[in-house]
Amino acid sequence: MKGLVIYKGKYGATKQYAMWIGQELRLPVASADRFPIDQLPNYDYFILGSSVYIGKLEIKEWLKKNFDLLQNKKTFFFQVAASPVEQIEKRVSYNKASLPATMVERIEFYYLPGRMIMRNLSAWDRFMLKMGARLTKDPVEKKTMLTDFDNVKKENTFSLIAAVRTFSEIGEPEMSLI
């Protein structure tokens, strides 16, 4: 079976995860913005990755535009966000806000922790983050929003990689020995 990793991110965490997944599974990795759409039918399954920006998936428009090409293919999806992985309801809400219900129902989602380094953010993103923190009533959450963190680790990909391996092994036609 032939698979492909496609990602779209903003500050590098999603790309890093995509590269680790591609290396481990020996799959090609491509940015959603640069991959030739006419090549999508050549693949049997996809691993899609997206960062979350202001509550929306970065890959949202690309997915909507290419849904017809993906709908009959197995799709694994990893979402990278600053929101803690334990906040499943919040993470799921990002998917629901960005994708049609029919797409959400058929995709296998994985939630990976991200990173936020204030000095690496654009001036606009720093401003937006500070405004969001000002509007937050909980002082602990406010402080957390403005504190650097980097939870991007290769081991966060292991459950996704295991699921893809299981799928691709089951999907491979068995070879008979003569």
Side-chain angles (χ1 to χ4, degrees), residues 113-132:
R115 80 167 59 102
M116 196 276 304
I117 310 297
M118 287 291 276
R119 72 176 178 276
N120 294 344
L121 301 179
S122 69
W124 176 252
D125 288 346
R126 276 194 309 276
F127 170 76
M128 292 298 288
L129 190 61
K130 288 175 183 176
M131 290 304 293

Side-chain angles (χ1 to χ4, degrees), residues 8-157:
K8 183 164 178 141
K10 192 159 174 81
Y11 288 106
T14 306
K15 180 179 182 179
Q16 178 64 71
Y17 280 128
M19 298 304 286
W20 283 331
I21 292 164
Q23 277 179 325
E24 193 65 32
L25 295 170
R26 294 188 174 106
L27 296 175
V29 177
S31 166
D33 295 332
R34 296 191 180 140
F35 187 76
I37 302 308
D38 63 334
Q39 297 297 308
L40 288 177
N42 298 334
Y43 294 89
D44 301 304
Y45 67 95
F46 299 96
I47 302 167
L48 305 176
S50 180
S51 62
V52 174
Y53 181 71
I54 310 179
K56 302 270 191 303
L57 298 174
E58 283 286 300
I59 203 167
K60 171 185 174 180
E61 293 307 317
W62 185 91
L63 275 170
K64 285 182 178 179
K65 188 170 130 184
N66 297 298
F67 180 61
D68 289 344
L69 296 169
L70 301 171
Q71 71 178 351
N72 295 321
K73 311 271 182 151
K74 176 66 174 173
T75 305
F76 299 89
F77 191 98
F78 65 94
Q79 180 202 93
V80 183
S83 303
V85 175
E86 307 82 54
Q87 292 182 352
I88 292 292
E89 287 180 27
K90 190 173 200 176
R91 290 292 198 103
V92 168
S93 74
Y94 299 151
N95 299 335
K96 289 180 179 178
S98 298
L99 306 172
T102 54
M103 191 179 287
V104 172
E105 291 167 5
R106 59 167 303 284
I107 292 176
E108 196 169 318
F109 289 96
Y110 292 82
Y111 301 101
L112 306 182
R115 80 167 59 102
M116 196 276 304
I117 310 297
M118 287 291 276
R119 72 176 178 276
N120 294 344
L121 301 179
S122 69
W124 176 252
D125 288 346
R126 276 194 309 276
F127 170 76
M128 292 298 288
L129 190 61
K130 288 175 183 176
M131 290 304 293
R134 273 193 188 156
L135 297 172
T136 302
K137 293 179 186 348
D138 180 358
V140 174
E141 187 176 345
K142 184 180 293 211
K143 183 177 185 214
T144 302
M145 286 177 74
L146 299 173
T147 303
D148 290 356
F149 64 91
D150 186 351
N151 297 317
V152 178
K153 296 173 180 46
K154 191 173 187 176
E155 56 266 22
N156 295 335
T157 65

